[in-house]
Amino acid sequence: MKLLIVNPNTTAGMTDKIGDAARSVAAPGTDILAVNPDSGPVSIEGHYDEAYCVPGLLEEMARGKAAGVDAAIVACFDDPGLGACRELMDVPVLGICEAAMYAAAMTAGSFSVVTTLKRATPIIGALALRYGMERHCRSIRAAEVPVLALEEPGSDAADKVKAEVRRALEEDGAEAVLLGCAGMADLARRFTEEVGAPVIDGVAAAVKLAEGLVGLGLKTSKAGSFAAPRAKPYAGRYAAMAPGAPAAARAAE
Ligand code: 5HY
């Protein structure tokens, strides 16, 4: 199967890390296509960044649709534009936050999340409510590191994340900890061994859940919530993204 993974920010090094994490768990028959938009925020830290990452995210999704991918993943822990991607795509589309929460809910009595900046915690809290996971979620902690600090060689960002993972386990009653940023995808295995409890990366969780959904022959239901967008013109710079615009026009964008 062909699995599209879109890092919605524009930092290619992070996209490479996400692709590596995905390939490390993918089944032999799963081809991973890890991409990011050319335009948009270099990192997503709050609502404004999130809003401006979605057009580029949708353009990459449209390219994947034209290329015939079998499933797609939004590789940002805010799950930005997930509903819009599900309207656009017929194949399953997973967000790494939702995937990680489902994986934790099926393997642990409770979980916490450790993300980057404190400003991300209410966004993730709102997602837990949307996904009906608030009953499993003991806490959402922030290591107070910028997203791109995780990309800097020699940074102490990973140590700060691990310290919060330990606190979540020792102080908050968490029985598993989710890594609340796609840029942490390379830390899950090492942290799991070091802290002695499941530390879950949403990228890997989404890859395996996507493989399962495709194996079941499931696609995104068009019966209502994720029905295709109604055809209409879009004015200005997004004209090529108008619902019903020729796919060739989009792919050429
Ligand atoms: C992410 N930001 O996964 C989110 C997480 C965060 O650029 N990729 C980003 O820290 O908000």
Side-chain angles (χ1 to χ4, degrees), residues 17-247:
K17 180 195 291 187
I18 290 165
D20 291 346
R23 291 183 188 98
S24 74
V25 297
T30 299
D31 291 334
I32 302 292
L33 180 61
V35 300
N36 61 258
D38 293 333
S39 58
V42 293
S43 64
I44 297 155
E45 297 170 325
H47 298 286
Y48 190 85
D49 292 344
E50 189 177 323
Y52 273 98
C53 86
V54 174
L57 166 66
L58 288 167
E59 287 173 12
E60 294 304 326
M61 286 285 171
R63 287 195 178 93
K65 182 174 185 176
V69 298
D70 298 291
I73 292 170
V74 180
C76 170
F77 211 80
D78 298 7
D79 287 355
L82 187 56
C85 292
R86 286 175 172 162
E87 286 190 3
L88 174 65
M89 307 292 275
D90 300 313
V91 298
V93 184
L94 294 84
I96 65 170
C97 176
E98 186 177 34
M101 288 186 175
Y102 272 98
M106 290 190 283
T107 55
S110 64
F111 66 79
S112 286
V113 181
V114 174
T115 189
T116 53
L117 296 173
K118 198 154 187 57
R119 66 184 304 158
T121 59
I123 293 173
I124 296 168
L127 291 176
L129 276 171
R130 183 193 303 172
Y131 301 147
M133 289 289 176
E134 71 279 4
R135 67 182 67 86
H136 301 289
C137 184
R138 290 288 175 272
S139 62
I140 301 171
R141 289 177 170 265
E144 273 306 279
V145 296
V147 168
L148 295 187
L150 292 158
E151 307 308 309
E152 291 165 9
S155 150
D156 64 354
D159 293 337
K160 289 181 175 176
V161 171
K162 187 163 68 172
E164 290 304 319
V165 168
R166 289 191 187 283
R167 291 190 185 102
L169 294 165
E170 292 162 6
E171 300 171 21
D172 303 341
E175 298 172 17
V177 182
L178 311 188
L179 296 176
C181 178
M184 301 175 185
D186 58 334
L187 302 176
R189 279 204 184 92
R190 172 160 64 91
F191 284 7
T192 297
E193 288 162 16
E194 291 173 358
V195 304
V199 177
I200 298 171
D201 152 48
V203 172
V207 169
K208 302 314 283 184
L209 290 172
E211 287 175 343
L213 294 176
V214 171
L216 288 168
L218 289 175
K219 293 185 182 294
T220 297
S221 169
K222 296 300 170 182
S225 306
F226 304 122
R230 287 183 63 241
K232 67 187 64 130
Y234 280 14
R237 71 182 71 169
Y238 297 131
M241 291 305 291

